[in-house]
């Protein structure tokens, strides 16, 4: 009886936590557009098309596709539109030194970047960073991996054709770059449970960015994708307590999808800011006219 109770408590915790991911409509900071900033242009590199390799990678990406309910997840075919959205975000946030690898496997290049990334202390680079790069080398993300940012090599790996997932990795890069001790920050926030903190921060930042600079459709898509992903991440961490990974991950993703739909329905019911302003102005004019009449 104890294990079902623990699973139930974990699912309830998922429901409560998923609601904490939101776009801050009233306090979001409008980020500058790329043409308004003077920053380096991020460097993009692309892997050569490999039909068999990418087909195998597509199959290994099926769990991610199910969790997000989107066939573009880990599809190993990244469109130019997704690249452009990522490039604009990175330019706007001064991430010109960060390398972006689009569906690419380049272990020699990553070991070189590990050696040259002086922003992270050598102690972290040649221990945790070396292990991370060794994992990248032995278990190629081109086949087995998912979109992520490697803070020790300052590289973003993109395999999905979903813009908000790419922006999320760049947002995490931004969080690392802003720290006085990026290696310490990256290592501590990679610990179990603790890693949910930067995950939540980066997702909220992307939601704010799409709200301020994107279209309604882009913001709705980001809400749907990031809520589901965050729910799955919470479920994965909750599984550390009950030892049941996949069910809680799927449960968390499902709760995230429900929370995203609820968030979307609330946004539809709320009057647009311009319309609200017009209503306020109309009331003020009516009040003024009434005063003059009297």
């Amino acid at each position: 009886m104890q294990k079902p109770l623990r699973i139930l408590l974990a699912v309830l915790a998922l429901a409560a936590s998923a609601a904490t991911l939101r776009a801050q409509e009233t306090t979001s900071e409008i980020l500058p557009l790329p043409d308004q900033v003077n920053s380096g242009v991020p460097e993009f590199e692309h892997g050569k098309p490999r039909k068999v390799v990418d087909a195998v990678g597509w199959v290994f990406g099926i769990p991610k596709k199910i969790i997000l309910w989107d066939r573009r997840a880990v599809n190993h075919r990244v469109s130019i539109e997704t690249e452009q959205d990522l490039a604009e975000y990175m330019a706007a946030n001064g991430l010109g030194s960060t390398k972006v690898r689009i569906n690419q496997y380049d272990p020699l290049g990553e070991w070189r970047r590990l050696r040259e990334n002086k922003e992270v202390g050598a102690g972290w680079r040649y221990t945790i960073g070396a292990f991370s790069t060794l994992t990248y080398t032995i278990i190629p993300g081109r086949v087995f991996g998912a979109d992520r940012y490697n803070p020790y090599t300052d590289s973003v790996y993109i395999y999905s054709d979903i813009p908000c997932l790419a922006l999320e990795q760049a947002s995490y890069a931004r969080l690392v770059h802003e720290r006085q001790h990026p290696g310490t920050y990256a290592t501590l926030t990679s610990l179990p449970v603790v890693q949910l903190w930067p995950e939540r921060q980066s997702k909220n930042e992307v939601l704010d960015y799409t709200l301020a600079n994107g279209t309604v459709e882009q913001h709705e898509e980001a809400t749907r994708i990031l809520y589901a992903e965050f729910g799955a991440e919470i479920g994965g961490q909750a599984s550390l307590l009950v030892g049941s990974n996949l069910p809680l991950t799927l449960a968390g993703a499902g709760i995230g999808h429900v929370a995203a739909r609820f968030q979307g329905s609330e946004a539809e019911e709320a009057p647009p800011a311009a319309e609200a302003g017009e209503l306020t102005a109309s009331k003020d004019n009516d009040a003024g006219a009434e005063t003059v009449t009297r």
Side-chain angles (χ1 to χ4, degrees):
M1 292 295 293
Q2 290 183 352
K3 188 170 183 178
L5 178 61
R6 291 164 66 188
I7 294 177
L8 176 61
L9 291 175
V11 171
L12 292 176
L14 292 177
S17 300
T20 66
L21 187 64
R22 78 282 177 269
Q24 302 169 340
E25 284 89 350
T26 57
T27 61
S28 63
E29 176 185 0
I30 298 179
L31 299 175
L33 293 175
D35 57 358
Q36 297 174 321
V37 295
N38 295 318
S39 58
V41 178
E43 184 180 358
F44 282 62
E45 290 190 4
H46 303 78
K48 295 181 179 180
R50 308 283 186 188
K51 290 186 178 180
V52 175
V53 172
D54 291 338
V56 174
W58 192 95
V59 172
F60 276 102
I62 288 177
K64 188 77 169 184
K65 294 176 179 64
I66 294 174
I67 287 172
L68 301 183
W69 206 243
D70 196 313
R71 66 180 62 186
R72 296 172 300 164
V74 200
N75 66 348
H76 298 274
R77 292 192 303 271
V78 181
S79 67
I80 188 63
E81 290 78 17
T82 296
E83 287 192 44
Q84 289 175 342
D85 287 347
L86 178 58
E88 289 177 359
Y89 177 88
M90 294 179 69
N93 289 281
L95 296 173
S97 64
T98 302
K99 170 85 73 175
V100 179
R101 300 193 185 278
I102 302 293
N103 199 37
Q104 185 189 48
Y105 174 65
D106 184 10
L108 293 179
E110 283 300 277
W111 283 105
R112 183 165 53 251
R113 287 186 63 81
L114 178 69
R115 184 185 71 248
E116 296 173 352
N117 185 19
K118 305 301 182 183
E119 295 300 317
V120 175
W124 291 124
R125 280 187 289 128
Y126 295 122
T127 53
I128 306 298
F131 178 77
S132 176
T133 308
L134 181 62
T135 302
Y136 171 89
T137 303
I138 298 176
I139 309 176
R142 181 79 184 257
V143 178
F144 305 102
D147 311 294
R148 73 182 186 95
Y149 170 66
N150 185 339
Y152 306 101
T153 63
D154 193 22
S155 301
V156 171
Y157 313 136
I158 301 299
Y159 307 103
S160 301
D161 192 23
I162 303 178
C164 63
L165 290 184
L167 266 59
E168 181 190 0
Q169 308 314 313
S171 178
Y172 178 46
R174 179 188 179 188
L175 290 176
V176 173
H177 281 218
E178 289 176 344
R179 285 343 189 244
Q180 186 175 1
H181 302 288
T184 302
Y185 172 81
T187 300
L188 292 179
T189 55
S190 66
L191 295 174
V193 181
V194 180
Q195 62 190 245
L196 291 175
W197 174 42
E199 293 286 356
R200 180 177 179 272
Q201 282 185 301
S202 59
K203 287 176 174 60
N204 276 332
E205 202 280 324
V206 172
L207 289 174
D208 291 345
Y209 178 84
T210 57
L211 179 66
N213 298 315
T215 64
V216 173
E217 291 75 16
Q218 287 173 326
H219 182 62
E220 289 177 349
E221 178 180 274
T223 300
R224 174 178 61 84
I225 294 293
L226 297 180
Y227 268 66
E229 185 180 54
F230 192 56
E233 289 166 350
I234 296 172
Q237 295 301 307
S239 68
L240 298 176
L241 302 176
V242 298
S244 182
N245 190 6
L246 184 59
L248 284 181
T249 299
L250 294 176
I255 292 171
H257 280 293
V258 172
R261 179 159 300 213
F262 179 74
Q263 177 73 21
S265 63
E266 281 189 337
E268 290 177 0
E269 292 173 1
E275 186 177 320
E278 291 175 2
L279 291 174
T280 303
S282 177
K283 290 181 180 179
D284 291 343
N285 291 337
D286 292 344
E290 185 177 352
T291 301
V292 171
T293 303
R294 290 180 180 177

